[in-house]
């Protein structure tokens, strides 16, 4: 598509020849011109190619790679790389996500954000035995843990108190982990079935 433009030198005639991606010019700026420069005769036309922005390329897949290797792969394609880290059970440094995603088209210089695994903080588990559910929950919250499932078991301990926990007191667990507990419930006493007393059979005088 050709379109006349007004050049800086009013004695020349400018025409847009076409628009195409241009690595070093922003959208709307001239990528190149014909003639390239020099002295021109009055009225001689100058044609230009206008930039539609940086050329786009396919974003490579770097998920599951180590964060020390993934940036190099992206930078070789002309992208910028930013990394954020989140707690994960995956090996520390493993790339979990990327944005834009693999296979998308993006201009060179685009920021690619990587989400990498980080070993979660570990905290010491408190002793919950003998505590009520509310007390156990409070202790766990203070340690950056949380109460998991509660199960009732028959016990001679006070009803509703913790008699066992899924991770032993003094051991460490990943921050935010649930700790399951067992709660005491009293034994039910059983009353033996009583045999009803039957009246004696009637007696009759002998003839």
């Amino acid at each position: 598509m050709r379109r006349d433009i007004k050049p800086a030198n009013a004695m020349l005639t400018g025409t847009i020849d076409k628009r195409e991606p241009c690595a070093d010019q922003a959208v709307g700026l001239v990528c190149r011109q014909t003639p390239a420069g020099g002295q021109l005769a009055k009225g001689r036309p100058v044609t230009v190619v206008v930039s539609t922005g940086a050329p786009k390329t396919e974003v490579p897949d770097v998920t599951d790679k180590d964060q020390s290797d993934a940036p190099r792969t992206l930078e070789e394609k002309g992208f910028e790389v930013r990394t954020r880290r989140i707690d994960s059970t995956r090996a520390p440094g493993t790339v979990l996500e990327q944005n834009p995603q693999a296979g998308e088209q993006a201009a060179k210089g685009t920021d690619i954000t990587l989400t990498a695994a980080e070993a979660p903080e570990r905290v010491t588990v408190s002793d919950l035995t003998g505590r009520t559910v509310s007390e156990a929950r409070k202790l766990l919250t203070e340690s950056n843990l949380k109460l998991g499932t509660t199960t009732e078991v028959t016990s001679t301990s006070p009803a509703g108190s913790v008699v066992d926990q899924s991770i032993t007191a003094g051991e460490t667990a990943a921050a935010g982990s649930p700790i399951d507990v067992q709660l005491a419930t009293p034994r039910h006493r059983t009353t033996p079935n009583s045999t009803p007393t039957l009246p004696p059979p009637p007696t009759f005088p002998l003839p």
Side-chain angles (χ1 to χ4, degrees):
M1 174 181 178
R2 303 178 68 90
R3 187 167 68 86
D4 291 340
I5 61 173
K6 184 177 181 180
N9 189 333
M11 299 179 69
L12 299 176
T13 300
T15 303
I16 296 176
D17 181 36
K18 60 181 177 180
R19 299 175 185 273
E20 64 181 31
C22 187
D24 56 356
Q25 296 295 339
V27 177
L29 299 184
V30 174
C31 293
R32 59 184 183 275
Q33 68 182 54
T34 303
Q39 296 293 322
L40 298 177
K42 181 180 177 180
R44 184 177 176 180
V46 176
T47 60
V48 297
V49 175
V50 176
S51 173
T52 58
K56 294 185 177 182
T57 187
E58 184 175 308
V59 178
D61 186 3
V62 295
T63 55
D64 296 326
K65 293 181 180 291
D66 189 85
Q67 68 178 45
S68 61
D69 298 327
R72 183 166 56 253
T73 301
L74 295 168
E75 289 165 355
E76 287 173 351
K77 296 290 186 179
F79 299 117
E80 301 292 330
V81 180
R82 299 179 184 276
T83 303
R84 70 185 189 97
R85 296 169 180 80
I86 61 172
D87 290 349
S88 172
T89 56
R90 299 283 301 277
T94 303
V95 176
L96 306 175
E97 300 174 358
Q98 64 181 78
N99 184 34
Q101 296 181 357
E104 292 187 15
Q105 297 291 319
K108 291 184 178 181
T110 298
D111 284 340
I112 308 296
T113 301
L114 304 181
T115 301
E118 183 174 63
E121 174 194 3
R122 297 193 71 81
V123 295
T124 302
V125 179
S126 301
D127 186 1
L128 307 177
T129 54
R131 305 282 186 170
T132 63
V133 170
S134 58
E135 290 172 340
R137 181 180 288 109
K138 182 174 184 295
L139 278 174
L140 292 171
T141 301
E142 291 172 350
S143 300
N144 201 13
L145 297 169
K146 60 185 179 182
L147 183 65
T149 59
T150 59
T151 307
E152 292 187 342
V153 294
T154 303
S155 173
T156 57
S157 298
S161 65
V162 176
V163 295
D164 197 11
Q165 56 194 81
S166 57
I167 298 180
T168 306
E171 293 185 0
T172 60
S177 297
I179 307 298
D180 302 334
V181 297
Q182 292 184 340
L183 304 176
T185 184
R187 287 188 172 90
H188 295 289
R189 292 185 177 182
T190 57
T191 304
N193 294 329
S194 57
T195 303
T197 303
L198 298 176
T203 56
F204 298 96
L206 294 175

